[in-house]
Amino acid sequence: MEESKVAKEIAKFETAHKKIAPQLKLYTNAAASKLSKTASGLYLTLIGDASDVLAESMAEARENGVTGNKFADFAKDPAFKDGLKVYNIACNQLEKAQTELKTFCDNAAKCSAELVKLQKDIDKDLKSRKSSSASKKDIEKLRKQVAGEITEVNKAAAAYGKLPPAQLTYLSKFQANVDKIMKQAPEAQKQKRDATLLPQMLVDRNLAKGLSQANGFAKKVKAHCDAAIDKAGTDIKLAMPELKAAAAEMAKLKKVNDDYDRAFKATAKQLKGTKDEAKVTKRVQTINKLATDAARTLRGVATTIKKAG
């Protein structure tokens, strides 16, 4: 009979605790730490890589002809739009992670409040319970367990507030952050862009693409030059559009050659002695030869037609 009474006296507290128990598996310090690390990592990506991409896109935009220094001056440039898109995506990812952590911590705080209420109910019971009570020992044991759980859940609930203020306020200053990036020195942005872009140009697939482009432009230069010679035999005036078209293709070929030549010179030290050195060198030299030969052909044809006229 006494045993039944003991079970009944503690049952109401155990029932209340069982209702809270599933939450205790969710709102752990480990789970909070994982969410916190994700948010912090995305913040570092945003102020690092994503901000660099935006800055580097400004260097590209200037090469595309943008001359101003304000957001409106860059807003319509395709390269800047792409850079801003990357930056915006990083902002959205951080916002999502911070919101997830905030929601987690708010729910953990609610769980803690439920445990605190249970603890107060237990304390009230224990205060009125006599030392001789058979169920007191078991109730005190549950009370100790609940106290430990409150401590652990509170740790989880505090994770959001422990993020550095700079992380928590960064997104609220979006335009100021973009303006700060835009105020960076143009030369510094260009150097940062080149440090990222130039080595990538010599990656196998990118170098193969550049060689293919150079070969295509070189063939078009020759085709237009051949057409110019043929048409000049009938009427020199008919040769002029072909020469103009050849010059346009030559300009494209020259840009490809200049870009890869710059990339090759910028990464020469890192490339030296590697297994890729010979292959990269050969391909860059091939691009250079295509450009040199095409330029020689165009000059020769232009000179020939000019003398004939």
Side-chain angles (χ1 to χ4, degrees):
M1 187 75 175
E2 182 66 23
E3 187 175 323
S4 176
K5 183 181 178 183
V6 170
K8 186 176 180 181
E9 288 178 343
I10 195 173
K12 60 180 179 180
F13 299 126
E14 290 180 333
T15 299
H17 185 259
K18 284 180 180 179
K19 290 180 180 179
I20 304 172
Q23 298 181 64
L24 301 178
K25 295 179 181 180
L26 298 176
Y27 305 118
T28 65
N29 194 38
S33 179
K34 184 177 180 180
L35 291 173
S36 183
K37 286 180 180 178
T38 297
S40 294
L42 289 170
Y43 170 72
L44 293 176
T45 296
L46 175 56
I47 65 171
D49 293 343
S51 294
D52 286 348
V53 168
L54 181 57
E56 291 162 20
S57 75
M58 292 179 66
E60 192 75 21
R62 289 191 181 94
E63 291 183 2
N64 290 341
V66 175
T67 56
N69 294 304
K70 297 179 180 178
F71 184 86
D73 299 320
F74 288 85
K76 294 182 180 180
D77 180 80
F80 183 76
K81 283 183 179 179
D82 288 343
L84 188 60
K85 183 178 180 180
V86 170
Y87 184 79
N88 276 328
I89 289 174
C91 284
N92 292 336
Q93 289 175 333
L94 175 59
E95 182 178 29
K96 182 180 178 181
Q98 287 184 344
T99 299
E100 187 176 359
L101 177 60
K102 179 70 165 59
T103 300
F104 174 93
C105 290
D106 288 346
N107 289 334
K110 291 177 182 177
C111 177
S112 175
E114 292 179 31
L115 287 170
V116 169
K117 182 181 182 303
L118 175 58
Q119 185 184 52
K120 287 181 178 179
D121 290 341
I122 293 174
D123 285 343
K124 184 178 179 181
D125 179 273
L126 288 172
K127 191 174 182 179
S128 62
R129 190 170 292 280
K130 294 180 180 180
S131 300
S132 59
S133 171
S135 57
K136 187 173 184 179
K137 185 176 180 181
D138 288 333
I139 295 174
E140 285 177 335
K141 183 179 179 181
L142 179 59
R143 198 267 182 202
K144 184 178 180 181
Q145 180 183 338
V146 170
E149 290 167 348
I150 290 172
T151 300
E152 289 305 306
V153 174
N154 282 345
K155 289 179 182 177
Y160 181 80
K162 288 184 178 180
L163 290 178
Q167 289 190 35
L168 294 175
T169 60
Y170 188 88
L171 294 175
S172 65
K173 302 174 182 178
F174 177 84
Q175 194 57 54
N177 295 329
V178 173
D179 290 342
K180 184 178 179 180
I181 294 170
M182 297 191 72
K183 288 178 182 177
Q184 293 176 7
E187 187 57 34
Q189 291 178 336
K190 185 176 182 299
Q191 289 177 356
K192 188 175 289 186
R193 188 277 308 267
D194 287 349
T196 301
L197 178 65
L198 296 184
Q200 284 299 311
M201 289 177 65
L202 300 182
V203 171
D204 191 62
R205 66 179 183 279
N206 294 331
L207 187 51
K209 180 181 177 181
L211 180 56
S212 178
Q213 288 177 329
N215 193 46
F217 293 141
K219 286 180 179 180
K220 289 179 181 179
V221 170
K222 186 178 184 304
H224 285 301
C225 285
D226 289 345
I229 291 292
D230 290 341
K231 291 180 180 180
T234 304
D235 186 345
I236 289 180
K237 288 183 179 180
L238 295 176
M240 292 302 109
E242 295 293 348
L243 282 179
K244 185 176 180 181
E249 296 301 327
M250 186 64 232
K252 296 175 186 177
L253 175 54
K254 184 178 184 303
K255 185 178 186 309
V256 171
N257 181 55
D258 288 348
D259 287 346
Y260 278 93
D261 189 53
R262 186 157 53 96
F264 185 68
K265 289 178 180 177
T267 57
K269 288 184 179 179
Q270 297 95 306
L271 194 62
K272 191 173 181 61
T274 67
K275 62 182 179 64
D276 295 323
E277 182 182 10
K279 181 168 64 175
V280 170
T281 300
K282 183 179 180 180
R283 285 184 171 180
V284 172
Q285 288 176 343
T286 300
I287 292 174
N288 182 255
K289 187 175 188 306
L290 286 168
T292 301
D293 291 349
R296 185 183 299 114
T297 297
L298 179 57
R299 282 197 304 271
V301 171
T303 299
T304 299
I305 291 176
K306 184 178 180 180
K307 288 180 177 179

